[in-house]
Amino acid sequence: MALDIKKFLQRFIEEARDHLSRLAEGVAALEQGQRDPEQIHSLFRSAHTLKGSSRMLKLEPITALSHSLEDLLSTLREGQLQLTPGVTGLMYQALDQLSDQLERLAGTLDAASLAEVDAALCKALSEAANPPTSATNQAEEVAETPTQVPAAQITSRLQTQDTVRIRLHKLDELIKLMGEVVSSHAGLRALVGEAQQMQSSDASASTLPVFVRTLKDRVQSQELLMQELHDTALQMRMLPLSIVFEPATRLVRDLARSLGKQVECRVQGADIELDRQMIDQLADPVIHLLRNALDHGIESPDQREAASKPAQGLLTLKAAQDGGWVEIEIADDGQGLNLQAIRQKALSRQLFTPETLEGMTDQEVMDLIFLPGFSTSHLITDLSGRGVGMDVVKRSVVDGLQGVISLDSRVGQGTRFTLRLPLSLAMMRVLLVRVSGHLLGFTAQYVAELIQLPRSAMIDVAERNAVIIRNEFVPVMKLSDLIDLPHTEPSPRHSERQETHALLLVTRLHHEKLALEIDELIDERDLVIKQLPSHLGQFSLIAGMVTTGHNQLVSLLHVPHLMELTRRTRSRTASQTVAVSEKPKPRLLVVDDSLNTREIERDVLEAWGYQVTLAEDGQDGLNKALAERFDAVLTDVEMPVMDGFTLTARLRQEPDYQNTPIIIITSREKESDRRRGIEVGADAYIVKGSFDQNSLVDTLKVLLD
Amino acid sequence: MQILVVDDDLLAGEMTAAVLEDQGYEVIQAADAVEAINQLNRYPDIALIVSDMNMPLISGIDLFRDLREQGKHLPFILLTGDDPVQLQQQEPSLNACVQKDFNLEYTLPAMIVQVMAGSI
């Protein structure tokens, strides 16, 4: 055996990925009307190379499909074929299948693991290339009967690679800089020698000023070099957004196909680079937002035509850089948010009084969808293995990515989400403050303002301090008390002022504000954030560390945790009064025809403090539900006598169960079943395959609170 | 014996090289026709050229014709992902035309032996 296939397979996979992403970009450009012959030619070359290398490695299904694609591109290149949506659809389908095959190959490194070639698709491609009668008709026909994509594939998460490719010139630059640092260090070392000489000679008085100046110069140039070195090194961690955007557009196509909607996904700014840590965390929220746009934003072709819109919906995924920030926009031209439905939901969840809701602006009503447990879709999907609502999207953007999310929607015209994110989490604006003699840091995005108020301006609300800032009650906590800092004497310079005035650092998270009393603001500057070592990772009070000029380590306080602490101290005082009367356990009804499943679910739920009643089929569940009232119902789908969908639909007709959370737990993961779940009125749909007890309990908590 | 392998697809080129090196040949690579000419000048001992057909700018067949025009008559084997018979008809003076596929590790060495035997 001459060829070590495994070694070449790995190379093939990497290069094929590049070719595929180039092809996908190219087809998207064609779709948007660009007809550069040079461009088509390079697409043809990519397909040709794929065909050639895969044939040498005996990856026949890949060879066959890339061959058909190559044929089609070749007729396009020669101008013998008109580009219709049908033709681009076929090409996308081919690319999607190729990348599926490639991922399969990457997982196994075994040519035998490839799926058999989709002969129908190959035939459709060749027929589109060499029309037997009329090319366009044929292609349209095929495009109109798209292959059904199993839901399991759609829900699969995006994968980010665990290796980084770095341009050679960037690496060279780094090495060159290292060289300069070394030589500049040699210069400093020479100065040590000079200093020693001066020490032993008497002439120090005259040479000292020169020495000091040289030392200053060299240290300064060393500093410049370090800065440059740091920037260059950080640059290497940057990855283009296309890593998230490309698979996301594919997801949109698959999902649109399975929902029977026509959608064009337009991408802009995919070449903007972000720190890879950001890229990793960005995938989930972006997918969720895209999925929402497809599920609830963009209407079916019939509805769109009835509203005199083009049958094909438009989804745009746009990124733009703005200073140290990047703005990612996810917009659809669908039906927009239904404000009435949101108001209704807020009422039925008893989140606000009718009067409060009445007084809210449209924007404020829209922002309600970010509240925990609030999803207009009535449904918590199992998108990434656990119940995800818009609140989770918001949390991952704000807490995980240190960014801001906002939303804008017009009825009938569409919805737009804007994510504003820092380019890197490694370097951030930090405020350094002093509290009880300790130096502490805050990242700037949590800080709303810094104000100084006379102590007399503080008011007492329910045994707590608060201040009114622009018509809003903001609770005040002494930071040193909140985190139990040992008290040291404040410097006398400030003590007098502190008698009469308080310096307040007003922090903000979402709509919540908290004013923290501090002693002094020391500095505000961009600093490199160091993550806590993994064994301290559980310690959520500290978000990271920074090093100050004097090599002193300073802890960065995590504002969300501080707010949590404040809530806890608040409820501690509150619960002391009612502590004795123990809260009644929420009562759950679990309906499943499998004894094992029922028992396991009961064990899990009882361990979490729920009181559980079991039922063995839909009819049994219905009888029990009507006999006594439950706080929530969990049901399987496939059961004898009465299935879970029917049970859910029947319960919703009962006045007692109109607002009671109903969770469907099933092994059916088809998109159509999930939708059926929504239609009959379930609040959440959890697939058993991805079942883990935390996701169930979290979902319950969200629904019951 | 030294063989020059010309292929713009680096991966394919290396696979071809691996096949040849396994047979005990010494392989010199080039990524396009221009580099091929340079390598020929640099390594005067190259005794045979194995070139891919489909390359940007100058194709394998054009490289072959250029070389013949310059009076260089090294044995030349053309590799192709498409139909080798058709290409051979297009340019009958090619020493051989071999399809690039999984069997390359058998077909190519066999062809080299034939070509070298014929050209001696």
Side-chain angles (χ1 to χ4, degrees), chain A residues 3-293:
Chain A
L3 278 170
D4 179 2
I5 293 292
K6 284 246 158 71
K7 183 179 114 199
F8 285 109
L9 272 181
Q10 196 58 52
R11 286 265 313 273
F12 170 76
I13 291 164
E14 279 173 30
E15 292 187 9
R17 276 190 185 133
D18 284 353
H19 284 299
L20 281 181
S21 78
R22 229 168 292 153
L23 278 162
E25 266 172 40
V27 175
L30 287 177
E31 194 180 17
Q32 279 161 40
Q34 294 175 29
R35 293 283 189 285
D36 180 4
E38 198 49 50
Q39 163 96 339
I40 301 181
H41 183 62
S42 84
L43 295 184
F44 167 81
R45 292 207 54 79
S46 280
H48 180 81
T49 308
L50 271 179
K51 180 188 79 172
S53 337
S54 65
R55 181 179 279 151
M56 289 178 82
L57 290 165
K58 211 174 186 176
L59 307 169
E60 277 154 10
I62 295 183
T63 313
L65 196 51
S66 15
H67 190 159
S68 304
L69 187 62
E70 179 193 358
D71 281 351
L72 183 60
L73 283 164
S74 146
T75 42
L76 264 181
R77 180 178 59 170
E78 266 120 55
Q80 293 165 1
L81 180 64
Q82 279 294 315
L83 194 74
T84 62
V87 173
T88 45
L90 279 174
M91 287 198 278
Y92 275 132
Q93 238 174 313
L95 294 181
D96 290 351
Q97 283 197 10
L98 282 172
S99 68
D100 274 348
Q101 295 277 38
L102 211 57
E103 289 321 308
R104 209 165 290 152
L105 190 64
T108 58
L109 286 185
D110 180 8
S113 70
L114 293 178
E116 245 178 66
V117 65
D118 183 344
L121 180 58
C122 284
K123 190 158 164 267
L125 284 164
S126 316
E127 276 173 7
N130 306 300
T133 46
S134 144
T136 42
N137 286 350
Q138 197 72 23
E140 298 292 8
E141 219 169 88
V142 177
E144 271 164 27
T145 51
T147 337
Q148 191 73 27
V149 182
Q153 266 179 23
I154 295 170
T155 49
S156 69
R157 302 183 55 168
L158 299 186
Q159 289 172 343
T160 44
Q161 288 143 358
D162 48 8
T163 54
V164 202
R165 286 200 188 186
I166 294 168
R167 289 194 182 281
L168 200 58
H169 79 88
K170 279 191 181 175
L171 198 60
D172 287 344
E173 207 176 305
L174 189 74
I175 290 166
K176 206 180 85 203
L177 269 170
M178 277 309 299
E180 284 182 46
V181 169
V182 168
S183 70
S184 139
H185 183 81
L188 283 173
R189 198 181 316 180
L191 284 182
V192 175
E194 268 180 50
Q196 278 164 342
Q197 246 176 17
M198 280 164 62
Q199 210 175 19
S200 54
S201 73
D202 309 325
S204 59
S206 57
T207 49
L208 194 59
V210 182
F211 176 79
V212 169
R213 202 166 54 231
T214 326
L215 181 63
K216 222 168 106 183
D217 283 354
R218 294 203 180 155
V219 168
Q220 207 162 38
S221 67
Q222 180 91 345
E223 254 172 28
L224 282 176
L225 278 175
M226 301 296 264
Q227 186 60 44
E228 216 176 313
L229 191 60
H230 177 242
D231 290 349
T232 314
L234 276 187
Q235 265 293 316
M236 292 192 169
R237 289 180 48 92
M238 304 297 254
L239 290 174
L241 270 170
S242 57
I243 290 184
V244 176
F245 282 8
E246 267 173 28
T249 53
R250 153 130 201 237
L251 213 70
V252 168
R253 289 199 297 273
D254 286 351
L255 205 61
R257 221 177 286 156
S258 79
L259 292 172
K261 293 180 181 177
Q262 295 173 18
V263 181
E264 184 195 340
C265 187
R266 225 175 259 177
V267 171
Q268 260 178 49
D271 49 352
I272 291 178
E273 295 193 330
L274 288 182
D275 190 276
R276 61 176 295 120
Q277 199 187 346
M278 311 277 302
I279 294 276
D280 286 346
Q281 292 183 47
L282 194 58
D284 276 351
V286 166
I287 293 176
H288 190 83
L289 291 173
L290 284 175
R291 211 189 151 117
N292 266 358

Side-chain angles (χ1 to χ4, degrees), chain B residues 35-98:
Chain B
E35 200 187 335
I37 306 273
N38 288 339
Q39 296 286 48
L40 284 172
N41 291 333
R42 193 174 336 155
Y43 300 95
D45 290 343
I46 291 174
L48 178 106
I49 300 168
V50 175
S51 169
D52 184 34
M53 167 63 199
N54 211 311
M55 296 186 291
L57 303 177
I58 304 173
S59 74
I61 224 166
D62 289 340
L63 171 64
F64 170 76
R65 288 171 180 157
D66 285 356
L67 286 173
R68 290 292 182 264
E69 266 171 37
Q70 291 172 25
K72 295 199 170 102
H73 290 278
L74 283 175
F76 196 106
I77 299 179
L78 194 62
L79 295 182
T80 175
D82 303 313
D83 183 12
V85 178
Q86 214 183 333
L87 274 172
Q88 182 82 55
Q89 282 167 356
Q90 232 181 77
E91 185 56 66
S93 55
L94 274 171
N95 295 74
C97 194
V98 178

